[in-house]
Amino acid sequence: QVQLVESGGGLVQAGGSLRLSCAASGSIFSISTMGWYRQGSGKQRELVAAITVGGRTDYADSVKGRFTISRDSAKNTVYLQLNSLKPEDTAVYYCNVQTSGSVTYVYWGQGTQVTVSS
């Protein structure tokens, strides 16, 4: 079974920073994309940032210039640097991994809470 272990969430004040990490382990043969989603209270889950095996990145407009996604493919680990945090960034952040091959699988972490106080 594939397991995604997330860490780095917490409580910070507005303007602060956090660094989220997600390490994938288990029977993973190949990863095509890794990314982060978030879901605030009463809101839909949305894509925050994603990175492909080739290093191409994609960001939500609301986080461009503030968040940075990176990866270490050899370690099956993805990171999200969150800077200049705003109260609106408060949400549960979920790690997402998509595998490649004859059959594609999508895996989710259990989520890590990020709370930004005003």
Side-chain angles (χ1 to χ4, degrees), residues 31-113:
I31 296 175
S32 62
T33 63
M34 304 184 76
W36 293 91
Y37 288 70
R38 69 184 181 186
Q39 185 171 21
S41 179
K43 301 179 180 179
Q44 295 182 333
R45 187 174 298 187
E46 63 176 351
L47 174 68
V48 177
I51 185 168
T52 69
V53 65
R56 185 174 62 189
T57 59
D58 186 31
Y59 296 93
D61 289 340
S62 60
V63 307
K64 287 181 179 178
R66 299 189 298 119
F67 294 4
T68 302
I69 189 170
S70 61
R71 64 176 175 84
D72 185 338
S73 295
K75 298 180 179 179
N76 290 333
T77 301
V78 63
Y79 308 92
L80 185 67
Q81 180 68 42
L82 301 80
N83 296 327
S84 301
L85 283 163
K86 305 175 181 179
E88 64 191 70
D89 295 318
T90 296
V92 177
Y93 284 70
Y94 296 91
C95 180
N96 171 275
V97 172
Q98 180 175 306
T99 64
S100 62
S102 59
V103 179
T104 299
Y105 295 94
V106 178
Y107 301 98
W108 294 91
Q110 293 187 357
T112 183
Q113 177 71 47

Side-chain angles (χ1 to χ4, degrees), residues 3-54:
Q3 183 179 14
L4 305 182
V5 180
E6 301 157 320
S7 63
L11 173 64
V12 298
Q13 63 180 346
S17 299
L18 287 172
R19 186 170 186 263
L20 307 183
S21 299
C22 175
S25 62
S27 300
I28 301 177
F29 297 102
S30 181
I31 296 175
S32 62
T33 63
M34 304 184 76
W36 293 91
Y37 288 70
R38 69 184 181 186
Q39 185 171 21
S41 179
K43 301 179 180 179
Q44 295 182 333
R45 187 174 298 187
E46 63 176 351
L47 174 68
V48 177
I51 185 168
T52 69
V53 65

